[in-house]
Amino acid sequence: MSKEIHKLNPNNWVKLHADYLYNFAIGRINEHDLAKDLVQDTFFAGLKAMDNFQGLASERTWLVAILKRKIIDHYRKINSNKGKAEVKMNFYADGEREGEWIEERVPSNWNNEIEKQIENEELNVALEKCINNLPEKYAMVFRMKTIQQLETEDICKELEITSSNLWVIIHRARTQLRKCMEDNWFKN
Amino acid sequence: MKLTCDQATTICDKSQYKEATFWEILKLNIHLFVCKKCGMYSKQNVIITKCIQKHKNALNKPTTCLCEKEKEQMETELKTKI
């Protein structure tokens, strides 16, 4: 069997791949304009890099690889300064009480009809809102792990982070999400 | 053996994805035995996981997509560079 050599045809890129790439991006970065820009950037970068295309991968796989680079760049950007300032602490970071709950973040009792509440169709609106309230970096990793259900290893590779890094992020995302759901949904 | 609440809840979060190790779970359970706050967290964490599972389809569906006009614009901009 001879290997197929793939060719690039930028004239069809938008028609063939824009939706796919957009869906890939929006699953990670839940922001329409940003996802759209990343797709557009991917096409531009693809044009520039056309000479490097060897035809071993399909056009789409090749474009996705470029998009992944764009997503990492974005992740690094939000990871640098901005993201850090927004973190709400749940535990004392140092001192005698290091690692203990900060009083106002301690889980409080939720009302009784939890099971019924889980079934409520409007719950997803509250969840979505709370996830979007997370600092961007946390929301992104949380989405990939929890909603897209990607493997830990794959996320680490994709974002070039370590697994302990990932779990710290998931931990912070979930403690913050818990608090948000408590305030907006489960509290008596 | 002793965990802080921060560490205990980290393990608790990990276990929501079935990725906590045997030792971690053991240490977590010892901690939960004495710590009511983390006990509450642990219980509620399971509820949050259930909520997400239950509403995963709605959460996973992008609320937005590229409309035809946006794609046209993309196409035009791309063509100026080809």
Side-chain angles (χ1 to χ4, degrees), chain A residues 106-121:
Chain A
V106 172
S108 53
N109 243 323
W110 289 358
N111 57 30
N112 299 320
E113 297 185 318
I114 296 284
E115 292 301 325
K116 235 193 242 168
Q117 301 230 30
I118 295 175
E119 297 296 317
N120 192 319
E121 284 305 316

Side-chain angles (χ1 to χ4, degrees), chain A residues 30-49:
Chain A
N30 194 33
E31 202 189 308
H32 174 73
D33 288 341
L34 188 59
K36 191 182 79 180
D37 288 348
L38 289 180
V39 174
Q40 182 74 286
D41 284 352
T42 299
F43 290 144
F44 291 158
L47 275 185
K48 269 196 201 151

Side-chain angles (χ1 to χ4, degrees), chain A:
Chain A
M1 215 173 85
S2 67
K3 268 199 183 149
E4 192 188 344
I5 296 290
H6 298 273
K7 289 208 170 68
L8 298 175
N9 184 359
N11 285 307
N12 291 331
W13 279 357
V14 174
K15 203 166 68 203
L16 293 179
H17 307 300
D19 288 318
Y20 182 87
L21 294 175
Y22 176 81
N23 274 319
F24 187 93
I26 204 83
R28 287 151 177 77
I29 298 154
N30 194 33
E31 202 189 308
H32 174 73
D33 288 341
L34 188 59
K36 191 182 79 180
D37 288 348
L38 289 180
V39 174
Q40 182 74 286
D41 284 352
T42 299
F43 290 144
F44 291 158
L47 275 185
K48 269 196 201 151
M50 271 177 81
D51 293 342
N52 303 330
F53 182 72
Q54 293 171 335
L56 301 176
S58 75
E59 186 173 69
R60 177 172 288 183
T61 307
W62 186 73
L63 287 168
V64 168
I66 297 173
L67 176 60
K68 281 184 174 173
R69 287 316 309 174
K70 298 283 164 199
I71 290 172
I72 277 211
D73 289 344
H74 175 72
Y75 179 78
R76 296 228 167 111
K77 210 168 80 195
I78 58 179
N79 192 21
S80 54
N81 314 313
K82 213 175 114 237
K84 277 177 190 155
E86 300 167 7
V87 183
K88 286 206 188 75
M89 298 301 289
N90 289 280
F91 304 93
Y92 291 102
D94 43 37
E96 218 169 273
R97 310 188 63 183
E98 185 182 342
E100 282 180 38
W101 285 97
I102 293 170
E103 279 77 9
E104 64 265 26
R105 310 287 295 179
V106 172
S108 53
N109 243 323
W110 289 358
N111 57 30
N112 299 320
E113 297 185 318
I114 296 284
E115 292 301 325
K116 235 193 242 168
Q117 301 230 30
I118 295 175
E119 297 296 317
N120 192 319
E121 284 305 316
E122 282 159 35
L123 179 65
N124 58 3
V125 179
L127 268 172
E128 185 78 54
K129 212 176 113 201
C130 283
I131 296 171
N132 287 337
N133 271 344
L134 296 171
E136 210 180 338
K137 169 183 151 188
Y138 297 110
M140 184 170 169
V141 177
F142 181 80
R143 273 177 192 289
M144 288 169 80
K145 183 70 193 149
T146 319
I147 299 171
Q148 308 272 326
Q149 296 188 305
L150 301 178
E151 297 293 335
T152 300
E153 206 190 319
D154 294 337
I155 300 172
C156 290
K157 258 192 220 144
E158 204 177 306
L159 299 179
E160 294 176 359
I161 56 176
T162 64
S163 72
S164 59
N165 223 220
L166 175 136
W167 290 116
V168 168
I169 294 169
I170 293 287
H171 170 52
R172 292 193 180 153
R174 289 192 76 110
T175 43
Q176 196 155 325
L177 185 66
R178 188 213 67 80
K179 175 83 171 112
C180 179
M181 287 303 284
E182 175 172 298
D183 294 344
N184 291 297
W185 189 269
F186 286 116
K187 213 153 186 186
N188 287 311

